[in-house]
Amino acid sequence: MAQTYLKNSYIVTMGPEGYVYDGGGILVQDDRIAAVGIVDPALVGPDAEVIDLAGKYVLPGFVNTHVHTSQQISRGVGDDVDFKTWLHKRMWPFESNMTAEDSYVSTLATCLELIRSGVTSFAEPGGQFVEGMAKGVAEAGLRAKLAKSVMDCGDGLPPVWQRTTEQELEQQEEDFHRFHNTADGRIGVWFGLRTIFNNTDRLITRTKELADQYGVGVHMHVAEAKSEIEYTMEAYGEPTVTHLARLGVLDKNLLAVHTVWLNNEEVELFRKHDVKVSHNPASAMRVLGFAKIPRMLKSGICVTIGTDGASSSNHMDIVDEMWLTSLIHKGWRLDPTVVPSEDILRMATINGARALLDGHLYGSLEAGKKADLIVIDPHGPSMLPANDKIASLVTAMHSSNIESTMCDGRWLMRNRKILTLDEDAILREGCERSAAIYKRAGIELPDRFPVVKVRG
Ligand SMILES: [Zn+2]
């Protein structure tokens, strides 16, 4: 039995009573939290590693509910171009030219950024290679719900992605049987639906049936862009969420991403069916628009935070996304009281765990839960003085304040050093593979300034 005792810290539990322990302790035993807050010294064994965290905070590990691991090494592929160019001329060519090995290295590169930003668990909506993703996540030591990006219709898809409904369903079931509940239970396999543009009604309803049968979730981009609603109005005579409701797939195991273009009746449908929402503010601000997050929170919908892919927002840093979430809704609503910091911390922790259908396992610091936690050092000019400690975690913190990240009782990062992965080697290989894929896919980014090549 291995014990780690973190003492003398400012513990933000995010538990049901919302307790904060000023000067409290956490006892970790193997992969679980044994005690939180006022820890009985008799529980701490003579061999326990004792760490004094004076002046530092402990929070649950963040849960990032929308992470495209395969896009990490595409970074820069879509800056300052319109949506169609981004998708058809940049993103699809890039992703459809990746191999399983590329996906693995891209996943490792993503995991580096996730660990550094305090994420211990994430949901991946789908690259093409669950195998590559699972290998990367297992090595990184994180938790993840992985899905394949699933498409059975749509104009202009690369030939390699033109697949039938049955092929897509079979592939997902195969991935489920191979990778679900692997890496000591840290990896779960979910079912993916890319978007309504690329998914037939039959695929959508069969996917939901299979997810129910296997007791997992469905990860789908929903009501993402204005053009999507124009499409569904034309194709089905109703907007996306109304159509999904008609198909009977709105449910507690649906993780709906972006959800920007919902009318008020559709927000009510989400509430009624306990649909989980992944809010991706940076990606939304680029081209999608403003999701009705204040209304959703007020109605009790489980809203969470995601970073999307590096090709959409470049920042795969949930701390940045928390800060953006704290700003943009105040701005468009002209009301600085909406979406307060405590709501945002819930979105990034316990709500995220609930959305991943793991609210009983992590997302808050409680005895008996998994030891998924982070240590934050507020020391530095950007965060001090932290007079309002809780608000400062959202409005002033940077990911550079995250000192250590633990998942499943194991340190993935300690004192800013990543312990599970070789950071330099991964970044080097990620850059090499990225350049090779750009070349294979025929993607050339124009020079923004005249470049003079100087050879030494
Ligand atoms: Zn996405």
Side-chain angles (χ1 to χ4, degrees):
M1 183 182 72
Q3 283 191 328
T4 305
Y5 180 39
L6 308 173
K7 67 172 194 180
N8 199 18
S9 62
Y10 189 84
I11 302 169
V12 184
T13 63
M14 304 309 297
E17 293 89 15
Y19 285 126
V20 167
Y21 294 99
D22 191 354
I26 296 190
L27 181 64
V28 173
Q29 204 159 288
D30 299 325
D31 61 333
R32 300 271 172 175
I33 296 168
V36 183
I38 302 159
V39 177
D40 179 354
L43 293 174
V44 184
D47 297 329
E49 184 188 11
V50 180
I51 303 170
D52 192 329
L53 294 178
K56 296 175 184 173
Y57 309 165
V58 178
L59 260 71
F62 294 130
V63 181
N64 186 338
T65 55
H66 191 60
V67 180
H68 287 267
T69 56
S70 60
Q71 296 176 4
Q72 187 78 3
I73 59 173
S74 76
R75 185 175 264 149
V77 82
D79 289 333
D80 303 326
V81 295
D82 65 79
F83 186 64
K84 254 194 148 163
T85 307
W86 175 85
L87 194 63
H88 291 206
K89 299 217 165 98
R90 304 286 182 82
M91 213 49 250
W92 283 358
F94 185 92
E95 279 196 89
S96 62
N97 273 283
M98 291 182 85
T99 64
E101 195 65 13
D102 292 329
S103 165
Y104 160 64
V105 174
S106 193
T107 301
L108 291 176
T110 313
C111 290
L112 291 172
E113 193 166 6
L114 294 175
I115 293 169
R116 286 205 171 278
S117 55
V119 170
T120 49
S121 188
F122 70 98
E124 148 67 78
Q128 294 305 309
F129 304 102
V130 172
E131 181 173 9
M133 298 191 280
K135 193 171 159 208
V137 171
E139 287 176 22
L142 287 166
R143 287 182 205 287
K145 306 294 185 193
L146 305 175
K148 180 186 180 296
S149 179
V150 171
M151 293 174 273
D152 68 340
C153 67
D155 293 334
L157 282 177
V160 63
W161 287 353
Q162 291 173 15
R163 290 161 60 90
T164 65
T165 311
E166 293 313 316
Q167 281 175 323
E168 289 293 58
L169 291 168
E170 278 167 25
Q171 175 72 56
Q172 291 192 94
E173 279 198 270
E174 190 187 316
D175 289 338
F176 181 87
H177 293 304
R178 281 182 72 193
F179 302 109
H180 186 66
N181 210 14
T182 55
D184 298 325
R186 288 182 288 106
I187 292 177
V189 174
W190 276 25
F191 287 80
L193 289 166
R194 185 89 174 201
T195 82
I196 204 159
F197 285 118
N198 300 111
N199 295 149
T200 60
D201 284 355
R202 181 174 146 67
L203 179 73
I204 293 170
T205 48
R206 277 295 294 142
T207 296
K208 163 69 172 143
E209 284 166 14
L210 286 172
D212 288 349
Q213 182 188 324
Y214 290 114
V216 295
V218 177
H219 195 152
M220 181 180 191
H221 299 89
V222 174
E224 185 174 0
K226 194 166 173 223
S227 55
E228 178 182 326
I229 304 306
E230 288 160 2
Y231 166 81
T232 50
M233 290 305 293
E234 168 116 21
Y236 306 110
E238 55 195 0
T240 304
V241 170
T242 305
H243 187 64
L244 295 176
R246 185 182 305 282
L247 294 178
V249 299
L250 296 188
D251 205 348
K252 56 185 180 306
N253 63 343
L254 175 64
L255 175 58
V257 182
H258 298 308
T259 63
V260 174
W261 297 89
L262 270 66
N263 60 40
N264 290 346
E265 290 73 40
E266 292 178 315
V267 171
E268 176 56 19
L269 283 172
F270 268 25
R271 186 205 61 77
K272 193 172 141 201
H273 294 285
D274 195 18
V275 173
K276 311 302 192 296
V277 164
S278 176
H279 176 44
N280 295 211
S283 170
M285 292 307 294
R286 180 181 252 190
V287 66
L288 305 178
F290 296 101
K292 294 178 174 175
I293 300 303
R295 175 179 281 270
M296 291 179 181
L297 286 170
K298 210 169 162 194
S299 70
I301 292 170
C302 178
V303 182
T304 69
I305 296 179
T307 51
D308 209 349
S311 65
S312 302
S313 71
N314 292 319
H315 287 231
M316 295 296 289
D317 184 332
I318 198 167
V319 177
D320 292 344
E321 300 288 321
M322 293 192 330
W323 179 61
L324 268 181
T325 304
S326 80
L327 289 177
I328 65 173
H329 303 289
K330 298 178 189 328
W332 74 272
R333 290 285 298 264
L334 297 177
D335 181 355
T337 67
V338 299
V339 197
S341 295
E342 52 273 38
D343 278 357
I344 293 170
L345 287 174
R346 267 183 220 112
M347 290 161 78
T349 56
I350 186 65
N351 283 11
R354 285 183 53 212
L356 269 52
L357 307 177
D358 280 343
H360 59 295
L361 272 185
Y362 49 85
S364 58
L365 301 174
E366 296 175 69
K369 278 196 162 182
K370 288 283 190 179
D372 290 11
L373 56 84
I374 56 176
V375 177
I376 292 162
D377 182 358
H379 190 78
S382 63
M383 209 170 158
L384 291 181
N387 290 314
D388 184 336
K389 287 189 172 61
I390 296 299
S392 79
L393 292 166
V394 172
T395 58
M397 182 167 79
H398 294 272
S399 55
S400 54
N401 292 108
I402 295 169
E403 181 185 90
S404 302
T405 302
M406 174 186 279
C407 181
D408 216 30
R410 175 189 184 197
W411 292 112
L412 309 185
M413 177 173 77
R414 187 90 189 267
N415 299 321
R416 305 282 308 150
K417 178 160 175 43
I418 304 258
L419 301 179
T420 49
L421 302 172
D422 183 341
E423 188 160 23
D424 287 343
I426 290 164
L427 294 177
R428 195 167 48 244
E429 190 174 353
C431 291
E432 286 165 9
R433 286 180 179 272
S434 178
I437 299 166
Y438 267 65
K439 207 166 171 194
R440 281 205 298 280
I443 301 168
E444 278 186 47
L445 304 184
D447 290 333
R448 290 168 182 263
F449 289 117
V451 176
V452 179
K453 290 207 164 133
V454 181
R455 314 245 174 251

